[in-house]
Amino acid sequence: MATYPITEPHFGGPVADPVTVAAIGAVALTEGIRFLYDQAADLLRRMRDRSDVRHESVEIDGAGALDSALGTVRIDYGRAEAQADAIRDLRRELADQAEGFVQADPSDERLVEAVDALRRLLETVYGRRITFRGEPREQSGAVVDVHVAAAAVDGYVAAVRAKRVGNADVKANLTVGDIGSGGEAVGLHVDDLN
């Protein structure tokens, strides 16, 4: 089996254990493979057809295959181009399962490793965690982890202030020494949780 080194840092922290993929059933694995296969094809087409765009925002649903929609993702074409050969190879490796010619078997280590490798590459390009329906892993979506420290606050400070937060894990940690009269310190300030 070929190996596919990921040259960019993996999105969302430590690299996932392929065992989480093996823990789901054959039907959920097949749907996950179809999702990854289709996303890889779409990404490769976008790379071929794009002009000098470095980033592009697209909406990705994932209904049926993922635990929740990815929402709007920002494709990083620099990362995609660096991994294009591996994305192509892994897509080819999953073709029979994605197209229904061969049943996806969660106990097939080679298959599970290929699925996990393609998923990690797409996570890196999309900047979003991708979790299959029924998989024991953190939820699909973005991760925002902010730590802010201030010695003193006389006005307003927020660790995270956003108009809208969709499908994301938001962790806001604010540490303040002194809050002056009329001062306000907020860990997370969101106008619309969607």
Side-chain angles (χ1 to χ4, degrees), residues 53-115:
V53 177
R54 297 251 338 122
H55 296 91
E56 178 181 14
S57 294
V58 296
E59 189 74 22
I60 298 179
D61 183 13
L66 305 183
D67 64 346
S68 63
L70 291 183
T72 302
V73 302
R74 187 170 180 233
I75 297 173
D76 183 330
Y77 285 113
R79 289 183 176 178
E81 287 172 4
Q83 301 297 340
D85 290 340
I87 292 169
R88 245 183 239 99
D89 291 346
L90 287 162
R91 183 178 178 275
R92 275 189 220 109
E93 194 169 332
L94 299 174
D96 284 346
Q97 288 81 9
E99 295 183 15
F101 297 125
V102 175
Q103 176 70 34
D105 179 3
S107 66
D108 180 341
E109 287 182 32
R110 180 181 170 143
L111 174 66
V112 168
E113 287 176 5
V115 168

Short mmCIF file of all heavy atoms in Angstrom, two decimals, residues 53-115:
data_model
loop_
_atom_site.label_atom_id
_atom_site.label_comp_id
_atom_site.label_asym_id
_atom_site.label_seq_id
_atom_site.Cartn_x
_atom_site.Cartn_y
_atom_site.Cartn_z
N VAL A 53 -7.15 32.26 -8.40
CA VAL A 53 -7.78 32.35 -7.09
C VAL A 53 -7.03 31.46 -6.11
O VAL A 53 -6.76 30.31 -6.39
CB VAL A 53 -9.26 31.89 -7.18
CG1 VAL A 53 -9.92 31.90 -5.82
CG2 VAL A 53 -10.03 32.75 -8.16
N ARG A 54 -6.65 32.02 -4.94
CA ARG A 54 -5.94 31.23 -3.92
C ARG A 54 -6.91 30.56 -2.95
O ARG A 54 -6.60 29.53 -2.39
CB ARG A 54 -4.98 32.13 -3.12
CG ARG A 54 -3.91 32.74 -3.94
CD ARG A 54 -2.50 32.24 -3.76
NE ARG A 54 -2.15 31.60 -2.54
CZ ARG A 54 -1.67 30.35 -2.48
NH1 ARG A 54 -1.54 29.65 -3.56
NH2 ARG A 54 -1.34 29.82 -1.34
N HIS A 55 -8.06 31.18 -2.76
CA HIS A 55 -9.07 30.65 -1.85
C HIS A 55 -10.44 30.83 -2.50
O HIS A 55 -10.64 31.77 -3.27
CB HIS A 55 -9.06 31.37 -0.51
CG HIS A 55 -7.79 31.20 0.24
ND1 HIS A 55 -6.74 32.06 0.12
CD2 HIS A 55 -7.39 30.24 1.12
CE1 HIS A 55 -5.74 31.66 0.89
NE2 HIS A 55 -6.11 30.55 1.51
N GLU A 56 -11.36 29.94 -2.17
CA GLU A 56 -12.72 30.04 -2.67
C GLU A 56 -13.66 29.49 -1.60
O GLU A 56 -13.36 28.47 -0.99
CB GLU A 56 -12.86 29.22 -3.96
CG GLU A 56 -14.24 29.21 -4.55
CD GLU A 56 -14.34 28.36 -5.80
OE1 GLU A 56 -13.42 27.57 -6.08
OE2 GLU A 56 -15.35 28.49 -6.50
N SER A 57 -14.78 30.16 -1.38
CA SER A 57 -15.76 29.69 -0.41
C SER A 57 -16.86 28.92 -1.13
O SER A 57 -17.39 29.38 -2.13
CB SER A 57 -16.37 30.86 0.35
OG SER A 57 -15.37 31.48 1.15
N VAL A 58 -17.17 27.73 -0.61
CA VAL A 58 -18.23 26.89 -1.17
C VAL A 58 -19.04 26.29 -0.02
O VAL A 58 -18.55 26.12 1.08
CB VAL A 58 -17.68 25.76 -2.06
CG1 VAL A 58 -16.97 26.31 -3.29
CG2 VAL A 58 -16.78 24.82 -1.30
N GLU A 59 -20.29 25.99 -0.30
CA GLU A 59 -21.19 25.38 0.68
C GLU A 59 -21.15 23.86 0.51
O GLU A 59 -21.31 23.34 -0.59
CB GLU A 59 -22.62 25.89 0.45
CG GLU A 59 -23.60 25.50 1.51
CD GLU A 59 -23.43 26.27 2.80
OE1 GLU A 59 -22.84 27.37 2.79
OE2 GLU A 59 -23.88 25.76 3.84
N ILE A 60 -20.92 23.14 1.62
CA ILE A 60 -20.86 21.68 1.57
C ILE A 60 -21.83 21.12 2.60
O ILE A 60 -21.73 21.41 3.80
CB ILE A 60 -19.43 21.17 1.85
CG1 ILE A 60 -18.49 21.69 0.75
CG2 ILE A 60 -19.42 19.65 1.90
CD1 ILE A 60 -17.06 21.28 0.90
N ASP A 61 -22.76 20.32 2.12
CA ASP A 61 -23.80 19.77 2.97
C ASP A 61 -23.35 18.49 3.67
O ASP A 61 -23.20 18.46 4.87
CB ASP A 61 -25.06 19.53 2.13
CG ASP A 61 -26.22 19.04 2.96
OD1 ASP A 61 -26.16 19.11 4.20
OD2 ASP A 61 -27.19 18.55 2.37
N GLY A 62 -23.17 17.42 2.94
CA GLY A 62 -22.77 16.14 3.53
C GLY A 62 -23.93 15.36 4.10
O GLY A 62 -23.74 14.41 4.86
N ALA A 63 -25.17 15.73 3.76
CA ALA A 63 -26.36 15.06 4.30
C ALA A 63 -26.29 13.56 4.04
O ALA A 63 -25.94 13.12 2.95
CB ALA A 63 -27.62 15.64 3.67
N GLY A 64 -26.62 12.81 5.06
CA GLY A 64 -26.62 11.36 4.94
C GLY A 64 -25.28 10.72 5.25
O GLY A 64 -25.20 9.64 5.80
N ALA A 65 -24.19 11.39 4.89
CA ALA A 65 -22.86 10.82 5.09
C ALA A 65 -22.19 11.32 6.36
O ALA A 65 -21.48 10.57 7.03
CB ALA A 65 -21.97 11.14 3.89
N LEU A 66 -22.42 12.58 6.69
CA LEU A 66 -21.73 13.19 7.83
C LEU A 66 -22.67 13.37 9.01
O LEU A 66 -23.89 13.38 8.84
CB LEU A 66 -21.15 14.55 7.43
CG LEU A 66 -20.24 14.57 6.22
CD1 LEU A 66 -19.69 15.97 6.00
CD2 LEU A 66 -19.12 13.56 6.35
N ASP A 67 -22.09 13.57 10.18
CA ASP A 67 -22.91 13.79 11.36
C ASP A 67 -23.61 15.14 11.33
O ASP A 67 -24.63 15.32 11.96
CB ASP A 67 -22.08 13.63 12.64
CG ASP A 67 -20.98 14.67 12.77
OD1 ASP A 67 -20.66 15.36 11.79
OD2 ASP A 67 -20.44 14.79 13.89
N SER A 68 -23.07 16.09 10.57
CA SER A 68 -23.71 17.39 10.36
C SER A 68 -23.07 18.05 9.15
O SER A 68 -21.99 17.66 8.71
CB SER A 68 -23.58 18.29 11.60
OG SER A 68 -22.23 18.57 11.86
N ALA A 69 -23.74 19.05 8.61
CA ALA A 69 -23.23 19.75 7.43
C ALA A 69 -21.93 20.47 7.76
O ALA A 69 -21.73 20.92 8.88
CB ALA A 69 -24.27 20.76 6.93
N LEU A 70 -21.06 20.58 6.77
CA LEU A 70 -19.82 21.35 6.97
C LEU A 70 -20.09 22.83 6.87
O LEU A 70 -19.35 23.63 7.41
CB LEU A 70 -18.78 20.96 5.92
CG LEU A 70 -18.19 19.56 6.03
CD1 LEU A 70 -17.11 19.37 4.97
CD2 LEU A 70 -17.64 19.29 7.40
N GLY A 71 -21.13 23.22 6.15
CA GLY A 71 -21.43 24.63 5.97
C GLY A 71 -20.53 25.25 4.91
O GLY A 71 -20.07 24.58 4.00
N THR A 72 -20.26 26.52 5.05
CA THR A 72 -19.40 27.22 4.10
C THR A 72 -17.95 26.94 4.46
O THR A 72 -17.52 27.20 5.57
CB THR A 72 -19.67 28.73 4.14
OG1 THR A 72 -21.04 28.96 3.85
CG2 THR A 72 -18.81 29.46 3.10
N VAL A 73 -17.22 26.38 3.50
CA VAL A 73 -15.80 26.12 3.70
C VAL A 73 -15.00 27.00 2.76
O VAL A 73 -15.48 27.40 1.71
CB VAL A 73 -15.43 24.63 3.48
CG1 VAL A 73 -16.21 23.73 4.40
CG2 VAL A 73 -15.62 24.22 2.03
N ARG A 74 -13.81 27.30 3.16
CA ARG A 74 -12.90 28.12 2.35
C ARG A 74 -11.80 27.20 1.83
O ARG A 74 -10.95 26.76 2.59
CB ARG A 74 -12.32 29.24 3.21
CG ARG A 74 -11.52 30.23 2.42
CD ARG A 74 -11.20 31.42 3.32
NE ARG A 74 -10.43 32.38 2.56
CZ ARG A 74 -9.27 32.87 2.96
NH1 ARG A 74 -8.76 32.50 4.12
NH2 ARG A 74 -8.63 33.73 2.22
N ILE A 75 -11.86 26.90 0.55
CA ILE A 75 -10.87 26.00 -0.06
C ILE A 75 -9.53 26.71 -0.13
O ILE A 75 -9.43 27.81 -0.66
CB ILE A 75 -11.31 25.57 -1.47
CG1 ILE A 75 -12.61 24.78 -1.40
CG2 ILE A 75 -10.22 24.76 -2.14
CD1 ILE A 75 -13.21 24.47 -2.76
N ASP A 76 -8.51 26.09 0.40
CA ASP A 76 -7.14 26.60 0.34
C ASP A 76 -6.45 25.89 -0.82
O ASP A 76 -6.00 24.75 -0.70
CB ASP A 76 -6.42 26.32 1.66
CG ASP A 76 -5.02 26.90 1.70
OD1 ASP A 76 -4.37 26.99 0.63
OD2 ASP A 76 -4.55 27.23 2.80
N TYR A 77 -6.39 26.57 -1.96
CA TYR A 77 -5.83 25.95 -3.16
C TYR A 77 -4.33 25.69 -3.06
O TYR A 77 -3.82 24.78 -3.70
CB TYR A 77 -6.15 26.78 -4.41
CG TYR A 77 -7.59 26.62 -4.84
CD1 TYR A 77 -8.48 27.68 -4.76
CD2 TYR A 77 -8.05 25.41 -5.31
CE1 TYR A 77 -9.80 27.53 -5.14
CE2 TYR A 77 -9.37 25.25 -5.69
CZ TYR A 77 -10.25 26.31 -5.61
OH TYR A 77 -11.55 26.16 -5.98
N GLY A 78 -3.63 26.44 -2.25
CA GLY A 78 -2.20 26.18 -2.04
C GLY A 78 -2.01 24.80 -1.43
O GLY A 78 -1.17 24.01 -1.88
N ARG A 79 -2.78 24.50 -0.39
CA ARG A 79 -2.71 23.18 0.24
C ARG A 79 -3.22 22.10 -0.70
O ARG A 79 -2.68 21.00 -0.75
CB ARG A 79 -3.50 23.17 1.54
CG ARG A 79 -2.82 23.95 2.63
CD ARG A 79 -3.57 23.88 3.92
NE ARG A 79 -2.81 24.59 4.94
CZ ARG A 79 -3.21 24.73 6.17
NH1 ARG A 79 -4.36 24.22 6.57
NH2 ARG A 79 -2.47 25.38 7.05
N ALA A 80 -4.29 22.41 -1.44
CA ALA A 80 -4.85 21.43 -2.37
C ALA A 80 -3.83 21.05 -3.44
O ALA A 80 -3.66 19.87 -3.76
CB ALA A 80 -6.11 21.98 -3.01
N GLU A 81 -3.14 22.04 -3.98
CA GLU A 81 -2.15 21.76 -5.02
C GLU A 81 -0.98 20.95 -4.48
O GLU A 81 -0.46 20.06 -5.15
CB GLU A 81 -1.66 23.06 -5.66
CG GLU A 81 -2.71 23.67 -6.56
CD GLU A 81 -2.33 25.06 -7.05
OE1 GLU A 81 -1.22 25.54 -6.76
OE2 GLU A 81 -3.18 25.66 -7.74
N ALA A 82 -0.58 21.23 -3.25
CA ALA A 82 0.53 20.48 -2.64
C ALA A 82 0.16 19.01 -2.44
O ALA A 82 1.05 18.16 -2.44
CB ALA A 82 0.91 21.12 -1.30
N GLN A 83 -1.12 18.71 -2.31
CA GLN A 83 -1.57 17.34 -2.05
C GLN A 83 -2.34 16.73 -3.21
O GLN A 83 -2.93 15.66 -3.07
CB GLN A 83 -2.45 17.33 -0.79
CG GLN A 83 -1.76 17.83 0.45
CD GLN A 83 -0.58 16.96 0.87
OE1 GLN A 83 -0.47 15.81 0.47
NE2 GLN A 83 0.34 17.51 1.65
N ALA A 84 -2.35 17.38 -4.37
CA ALA A 84 -3.18 16.94 -5.50
C ALA A 84 -2.91 15.50 -5.92
O ALA A 84 -3.85 14.74 -6.18
CB ALA A 84 -3.00 17.89 -6.68
N ASP A 85 -1.65 15.10 -5.99
CA ASP A 85 -1.34 13.73 -6.41
C ASP A 85 -1.90 12.71 -5.43
O ASP A 85 -2.48 11.70 -5.82
CB ASP A 85 0.17 13.53 -6.57
CG ASP A 85 0.74 14.28 -7.77
OD1 ASP A 85 -0.05 14.63 -8.69
OD2 ASP A 85 1.96 14.51 -7.79
N ALA A 86 -1.73 12.96 -4.14
CA ALA A 86 -2.25 12.04 -3.13
C ALA A 86 -3.78 12.00 -3.16
O ALA A 86 -4.39 10.93 -3.04
CB ALA A 86 -1.76 12.44 -1.75
N ILE A 87 -4.43 13.16 -3.35
CA ILE A 87 -5.89 13.21 -3.43
C ILE A 87 -6.37 12.38 -4.61
O ILE A 87 -7.30 11.58 -4.50
CB ILE A 87 -6.39 14.66 -3.51
CG1 ILE A 87 -6.13 15.37 -2.17
CG2 ILE A 87 -7.88 14.72 -3.87
CD1 ILE A 87 -6.33 16.88 -2.21
N ARG A 88 -5.71 12.55 -5.77
CA ARG A 88 -6.05 11.77 -6.97
C ARG A 88 -5.89 10.27 -6.73
O ARG A 88 -6.76 9.46 -7.06
CB ARG A 88 -5.16 12.20 -8.13
CG ARG A 88 -5.89 12.85 -9.24
CD ARG A 88 -4.97 13.20 -10.42
NE ARG A 88 -5.05 14.62 -10.64
CZ ARG A 88 -4.18 15.52 -10.21
NH1 ARG A 88 -3.10 15.17 -9.58
NH2 ARG A 88 -4.38 16.79 -10.44
N ASP A 89 -4.74 9.88 -6.16
CA ASP A 89 -4.46 8.46 -5.92
C ASP A 89 -5.46 7.84 -4.95
O ASP A 89 -5.94 6.73 -5.17
CB ASP A 89 -3.04 8.28 -5.37
CG ASP A 89 -1.95 8.58 -6.40
OD1 ASP A 89 -2.27 8.68 -7.61
OD2 ASP A 89 -0.79 8.74 -5.98
N LEU A 90 -5.75 8.55 -3.87
CA LEU A 90 -6.69 8.01 -2.89
C LEU A 90 -8.10 7.93 -3.45
O LEU A 90 -8.83 6.98 -3.17
CB LEU A 90 -6.66 8.88 -1.62
CG LEU A 90 -5.40 8.68 -0.78
CD1 LEU A 90 -5.22 9.84 0.19
CD2 LEU A 90 -5.43 7.35 -0.06
N ARG A 91 -8.49 8.90 -4.26
CA ARG A 91 -9.80 8.85 -4.90
C ARG A 91 -9.91 7.61 -5.77
O ARG A 91 -10.90 6.88 -5.73
CB ARG A 91 -10.04 10.12 -5.72
CG ARG A 91 -11.41 10.15 -6.36
CD ARG A 91 -11.64 11.45 -7.14
NE ARG A 91 -12.94 11.40 -7.77
CZ ARG A 91 -13.18 10.84 -8.94
NH1 ARG A 91 -12.20 10.27 -9.63
NH2 ARG A 91 -14.39 10.84 -9.45
N ARG A 92 -8.86 7.34 -6.56
CA ARG A 92 -8.84 6.13 -7.39
C ARG A 92 -8.94 4.86 -6.54
O ARG A 92 -9.62 3.91 -6.90
CB ARG A 92 -7.56 6.08 -8.23
CG ARG A 92 -7.67 6.84 -9.50
CD ARG A 92 -6.47 6.58 -10.41
NE ARG A 92 -6.08 7.82 -11.03
CZ ARG A 92 -5.00 8.53 -10.75
NH1 ARG A 92 -4.11 8.09 -9.92
NH2 ARG A 92 -4.77 9.66 -11.36
N GLU A 93 -8.23 4.87 -5.42
CA GLU A 93 -8.21 3.70 -4.54
C GLU A 93 -9.59 3.40 -3.95
O GLU A 93 -9.90 2.24 -3.67
CB GLU A 93 -7.19 3.92 -3.43
CG GLU A 93 -6.84 2.66 -2.67
CD GLU A 93 -5.64 2.85 -1.76
OE1 GLU A 93 -4.76 3.68 -2.05
OE2 GLU A 93 -5.59 2.14 -0.75
N LEU A 94 -10.42 4.41 -3.80
CA LEU A 94 -11.75 4.24 -3.21
C LEU A 94 -12.87 4.13 -4.25
O LEU A 94 -14.04 4.00 -3.89
CB LEU A 94 -12.05 5.41 -2.27
CG LEU A 94 -11.09 5.57 -1.09
CD1 LEU A 94 -11.42 6.84 -0.31
CD2 LEU A 94 -11.14 4.34 -0.19
N ALA A 95 -12.52 4.14 -5.53
CA ALA A 95 -13.53 4.18 -6.60
C ALA A 95 -14.50 3.01 -6.56
O ALA A 95 -15.72 3.20 -6.70
CB ALA A 95 -12.84 4.26 -7.96
N ASP A 96 -14.02 1.79 -6.39
CA ASP A 96 -14.93 0.63 -6.41
C ASP A 96 -15.97 0.69 -5.30
O ASP A 96 -17.14 0.37 -5.52
CB ASP A 96 -14.14 -0.68 -6.32
CG ASP A 96 -13.46 -1.03 -7.63
OD1 ASP A 96 -13.79 -0.44 -8.67
OD2 ASP A 96 -12.57 -1.92 -7.59
N GLN A 97 -15.57 1.11 -4.10
CA GLN A 97 -16.53 1.23 -3.00
C GLN A 97 -17.46 2.41 -3.22
O GLN A 97 -18.66 2.31 -2.97
CB GLN A 97 -15.80 1.37 -1.65
CG GLN A 97 -15.13 0.11 -1.17
CD GLN A 97 -13.77 -0.12 -1.82
OE1 GLN A 97 -13.23 0.74 -2.51
NE2 GLN A 97 -13.23 -1.31 -1.59
N ALA A 98 -16.93 3.52 -3.69
CA ALA A 98 -17.75 4.72 -3.89
C ALA A 98 -18.81 4.50 -4.96
O ALA A 98 -19.92 5.00 -4.85
CB ALA A 98 -16.86 5.90 -4.28
N GLU A 99 -18.47 3.73 -5.99
CA GLU A 99 -19.41 3.50 -7.09
C GLU A 99 -20.26 2.25 -6.89
O GLU A 99 -21.06 1.90 -7.74
CB GLU A 99 -18.64 3.46 -8.40
CG GLU A 99 -18.01 4.82 -8.70
CD GLU A 99 -17.28 4.89 -10.02
OE1 GLU A 99 -17.47 4.00 -10.86
OE2 GLU A 99 -16.52 5.85 -10.20
N GLY A 100 -20.09 1.57 -5.74
CA GLY A 100 -20.95 0.45 -5.40
C GLY A 100 -20.57 -0.88 -6.01
O GLY A 100 -21.33 -1.84 -5.94
N PHE A 101 -19.39 -0.99 -6.61
CA PHE A 101 -18.97 -2.26 -7.21
C PHE A 101 -18.47 -3.24 -6.16
O PHE A 101 -18.53 -4.45 -6.34
CB PHE A 101 -17.88 -2.03 -8.25
CG PHE A 101 -18.34 -1.19 -9.41
CD1 PHE A 101 -17.65 -0.04 -9.76
CD2 PHE A 101 -19.47 -1.53 -10.14
CE1 PHE A 101 -18.08 0.74 -10.81
CE2 PHE A 101 -19.90 -0.74 -11.19
CZ PHE A 101 -19.20 0.40 -11.54
N VAL A 102 -17.94 -2.71 -5.05
CA VAL A 102 -17.42 -3.52 -3.96
C VAL A 102 -17.98 -2.98 -2.66
O VAL A 102 -17.99 -1.76 -2.44
CB VAL A 102 -15.86 -3.47 -3.93
CG1 VAL A 102 -15.31 -4.22 -2.73
CG2 VAL A 102 -15.27 -4.00 -5.22
N GLN A 103 -18.45 -3.88 -1.79
CA GLN A 103 -18.99 -3.49 -0.49
C GLN A 103 -17.85 -2.96 0.39
O GLN A 103 -16.79 -3.57 0.48
CB GLN A 103 -19.64 -4.70 0.18
CG GLN A 103 -20.16 -4.45 1.57
CD GLN A 103 -21.38 -3.56 1.59
OE1 GLN A 103 -22.21 -3.60 0.70
NE2 GLN A 103 -21.51 -2.76 2.62
N ALA A 104 -18.08 -1.84 1.04
CA ALA A 104 -17.09 -1.30 1.97
C ALA A 104 -17.08 -2.15 3.23
O ALA A 104 -18.13 -2.41 3.82
CB ALA A 104 -17.43 0.15 2.31
N ASP A 105 -15.91 -2.59 3.63
CA ASP A 105 -15.75 -3.46 4.79
C ASP A 105 -14.95 -2.73 5.87
O ASP A 105 -13.76 -2.49 5.70
CB ASP A 105 -15.02 -4.74 4.37
CG ASP A 105 -14.79 -5.70 5.52
OD1 ASP A 105 -15.23 -5.42 6.66
OD2 ASP A 105 -14.17 -6.75 5.27
N PRO A 106 -15.60 -2.36 6.99
CA PRO A 106 -14.90 -1.63 8.05
C PRO A 106 -13.71 -2.39 8.66
O PRO A 106 -12.87 -1.79 9.30
CB PRO A 106 -15.98 -1.39 9.11
CG PRO A 106 -17.27 -1.56 8.40
CD PRO A 106 -17.02 -2.54 7.30
N SER A 107 -13.63 -3.69 8.44
CA SER A 107 -12.50 -4.45 8.99
C SER A 107 -11.31 -4.51 8.03
O SER A 107 -10.25 -5.03 8.37
CB SER A 107 -12.93 -5.88 9.36
OG SER A 107 -13.27 -6.60 8.19
N ASP A 108 -11.46 -3.94 6.84
CA ASP A 108 -10.38 -3.91 5.84
C ASP A 108 -9.44 -2.75 6.20
O ASP A 108 -9.74 -1.58 5.93
CB ASP A 108 -10.98 -3.72 4.45
CG ASP A 108 -9.94 -3.67 3.34
OD1 ASP A 108 -8.75 -3.42 3.60
OD2 ASP A 108 -10.35 -3.86 2.17
N GLU A 109 -8.30 -3.08 6.81
CA GLU A 109 -7.37 -2.05 7.29
C GLU A 109 -6.88 -1.13 6.18
O GLU A 109 -6.76 0.08 6.37
CB GLU A 109 -6.18 -2.70 7.99
CG GLU A 109 -6.51 -3.27 9.34
CD GLU A 109 -5.30 -3.86 10.03
OE1 GLU A 109 -4.18 -3.36 9.82
OE2 GLU A 109 -5.49 -4.83 10.80
N ARG A 110 -6.59 -1.69 5.03
CA ARG A 110 -6.10 -0.89 3.90
C ARG A 110 -7.15 0.14 3.47
O ARG A 110 -6.85 1.30 3.25
CB ARG A 110 -5.71 -1.80 2.75
CG ARG A 110 -5.19 -1.07 1.56
CD ARG A 110 -4.85 -2.03 0.45
NE ARG A 110 -4.56 -1.28 -0.75
CZ ARG A 110 -3.65 -1.62 -1.61
NH1 ARG A 110 -2.92 -2.69 -1.43
NH2 ARG A 110 -3.46 -0.90 -2.69
N LEU A 111 -8.39 -0.32 3.38
CA LEU A 111 -9.49 0.58 3.01
C LEU A 111 -9.66 1.68 4.05
O LEU A 111 -9.76 2.86 3.71
CB LEU A 111 -10.80 -0.21 2.87
CG LEU A 111 -12.05 0.63 2.63
CD1 LEU A 111 -11.98 1.33 1.28
CD2 LEU A 111 -13.29 -0.25 2.74
N VAL A 112 -9.68 1.30 5.33
CA VAL A 112 -9.88 2.27 6.41
C VAL A 112 -8.75 3.30 6.41
O VAL A 112 -9.00 4.49 6.59
CB VAL A 112 -9.99 1.54 7.77
CG1 VAL A 112 -9.90 2.51 8.93
CG2 VAL A 112 -11.29 0.75 7.82
N GLU A 113 -7.52 2.87 6.17
CA GLU A 113 -6.39 3.81 6.13
C GLU A 113 -6.52 4.76 4.94
O GLU A 113 -6.22 5.95 5.06
CB GLU A 113 -5.07 3.05 6.07
CG GLU A 113 -4.71 2.41 7.39
CD GLU A 113 -3.45 1.56 7.33
OE1 GLU A 113 -2.77 1.54 6.27
OE2 GLU A 113 -3.12 0.93 8.34
N ALA A 114 -6.97 4.26 3.79
CA ALA A 114 -7.15 5.12 2.62
C ALA A 114 -8.27 6.15 2.87
O ALA A 114 -8.13 7.32 2.52
CB ALA A 114 -7.47 4.28 1.38
N VAL A 115 -9.36 5.70 3.47
CA VAL A 115 -10.48 6.60 3.79
C VAL A 115 -10.00 7.70 4.74
O VAL A 115 -10.25 8.89 4.52
CB VAL A 115 -11.66 5.82 4.42
CG1 VAL A 115 -12.70 6.77 5.02
CG2 VAL A 115 -12.30 4.91 3.38
#
